[in-house]
Amino acid sequence: MTVFLLLYLCADATHTDCQVFPAQRWKGPDAYEQCIGTVPGLTKALTAPNRELHRFVCEVQADGAQPAEHKAQPAFIHQSFRM
């Protein structure tokens, strides 16, 4: 298994306009656990305002797959519709 640590650099706290950068990669059966263990320290190292804007995400990739150009997905927006 291959896991990528992705850094989402977002323009605002809604996380709808983000650029994604691969920050680190792990391979092996405990790769996800290694990635998850890294996230709290990296997040703590960000300044308080940047913690609201930017985030680290661990993403599992199929072995042999290269990290594609990631396009950040907008955050799910909860809406209610009335008829």
Side-chain angles (χ1 to χ4, degrees):
M1 165 177 24
T2 301
V3 178
F4 289 92
L5 175 64
L6 303 176
L7 170 59
Y8 282 72
L9 295 175
C10 303
D12 59 37
T14 64
H15 296 123
T16 56
D17 183 22
C18 301
Q19 291 184 347
V20 182
F21 297 95
Q24 194 165 348
R25 177 181 69 168
W26 291 270
K27 284 188 167 199
D30 63 342
Y32 189 76
E33 288 78 13
Q34 290 176 338
C35 184
I36 290 295
T38 303
V39 171
L42 293 172
T43 302
K44 187 177 179 182
L46 294 172
T47 63
N50 282 335
R51 279 185 216 130
E52 294 178 22
L53 298 177
H54 313 313
R55 61 187 170 126
F56 293 94
V57 175
C58 295
E59 182 177 299
V60 177
Q61 296 283 324
D63 282 335
Q66 296 295 322
E69 288 293 324
H70 289 281
K71 182 80 173 163
Q73 297 297 318
F76 184 77
I77 299 172
H78 298 278
Q79 296 180 353
S80 62
F81 297 95
R82 295 184 202 170
M83 299 233 171

